[in-house]
Amino acid sequence: MTMKLIALDGPSASGKSSTARAVAQALGWSHLDSGALYRGLTLIALEIASVRRGLIEEVAPREVVDAAEGRGLQLHSDGTTFQVYIDGLPKDGAIRTPDVTANVSWVSALPDIRMWVDTRMREMVHGGLEVVIDGRDIGSVVFPEAPLKVFLTATPEARASRRLSQRGEELDRAALKRESAMLAERDRKDSSRPVAPLRQPPDALLLDSTTLSFEEQVDRIVGWARERGLA
Ligand code: CDP
């Protein structure tokens, strides 16, 4: 039986999550945002560091994973998209604070952390989930066997302006410059780490969304899924 999985990778703010959600909706599948799991683990690491009044870099990866297990870090589906729950509560707001965003690249570069996340995702997919997963290494490392891999990108300016609009912030030159620099720094860290770096898999289809409308980019991926007999 064909595995029902679309791996959607790409740099920060390329629109992966919203695109993945819309593609999943169009196909009647689920959407899993792997970045949300890394953000949940980063939130836990920050909380451990704060209780100790120490630095996040001083928290051992194993402690983060044990705390995640102990506090029941899980993904719950609302029908289409999986949300991160910790201690039985949804954490979508808490995992998207500037503090978590500033620390997530560091936490997600730790091999024990990646192994924990990869295992959770593989269990879900091998359990028969039909899913669009977005991230950085989904097609290259976690599911190299995915029947459709898409690498979504856009120019740094387009990505920065989308991120600012998403947050309802002004699109002036200074704000755009600041946001572009922050995205570039996260991309640099994500691309240069030794473990599972952000990279376009050779068999992924490249989708540059700079000049495409949201509907066009979703339609393109749904079309590819149909061509490959996934839907
Ligand atoms: O802010 P944005 O939506 O672009 O990022 P995200 O998808 O929420 O991912 C947050 C961070 O998690 C990324 O900057 C990566 O450091 C890390 N990540 C990863 O290493 N591997 C993945 N498969 C997904 C995210």
Side-chain angles (χ1 to χ4, degrees):
M1 205 178 73
T2 318
M3 183 187 212
K4 297 280 179 92
L5 169 67
I6 300 176
L8 183 57
D9 291 303
S12 302
S14 53
K16 296 182 302 292
S17 288
S18 44
T19 306
R21 194 175 313 126
V23 170
Q25 226 152 13
L27 298 176
W29 293 10
S30 298
H31 162 226
L32 198 163
D33 168 6
S34 61
L37 277 171
Y38 288 107
R39 287 173 175 275
L41 289 157
T42 304
L43 177 65
I44 287 179
L46 283 168
E47 287 173 355
I48 297 174
S50 153
V51 167
R52 290 189 189 150
R53 296 177 194 281
L55 299 173
I56 190 169
E57 290 83 355
E58 291 162 0
V59 181
R62 207 49 246 172
E63 288 181 272
V64 181
V65 166
D66 288 348
E69 301 257 348
R71 296 177 59 186
L73 192 164
Q74 280 179 26
L75 291 168
H76 281 293
S77 175
D78 64 3
T80 309
T81 293
F82 285 96
Q83 306 281 354
V84 168
Y85 277 62
I86 302 174
D87 301 322
L89 296 169
K91 294 286 173 184
D92 202 55
I95 63 170
R96 298 189 194 278
T97 61
D99 205 15
V100 170
T101 301
N103 285 285
V104 65
S105 289
W106 185 79
V107 172
S108 66
L110 302 168
D112 283 352
I113 297 280
R114 298 206 75 82
M115 208 185 303
W116 191 82
V117 169
D118 293 356
T119 305
R120 300 283 87 70
M121 291 195 289
R122 289 186 183 124
E123 281 168 1
M124 292 172 83
V125 169
H126 296 145
L129 192 67
E130 299 179 334
V131 69
V132 184
I133 307 185
D134 71 288
R136 303 290 187 290
D137 62 337
I138 305 305
S140 55
V141 173
V142 193
F143 297 105
E145 73 279 34
L148 175 58
K149 301 177 188 176
V150 178
F151 196 82
L152 186 64
T153 189
T155 60
E157 297 72 26
R159 294 191 280 125
S161 97
R162 280 181 202 158
R163 200 32 66 99
L164 289 174
S165 312
Q166 222 175 32
R167 295 203 298 253
E169 291 178 24
E170 293 282 321
L171 290 182
D172 61 70
R173 276 168 75 102
L176 273 172
K177 212 169 148 189
R178 218 174 28 245
E179 192 62 29
S180 287
M182 277 193 301
L183 291 175
E185 177 55 12
R186 196 139 58 90
D187 291 344
R188 190 192 61 74
K189 286 187 184 150
D190 291 343
S191 309
S192 61
R193 65 184 178 210
V195 189
L198 167 69
R199 203 147 289 160
Q200 181 184 342
D203 53 348
L205 300 173
L206 178 67
L207 187 56
D208 183 336
S209 70
T210 309
T211 57
L212 293 179
S213 70
F214 183 70
E215 289 70 27
E216 284 170 328
Q217 80 200 31
V218 171
D219 286 352
R220 197 74 65 90
I221 300 174
V222 171
W224 286 333
R226 297 219 159 98
E227 276 168 28
R228 294 192 178 199
L230 295 175

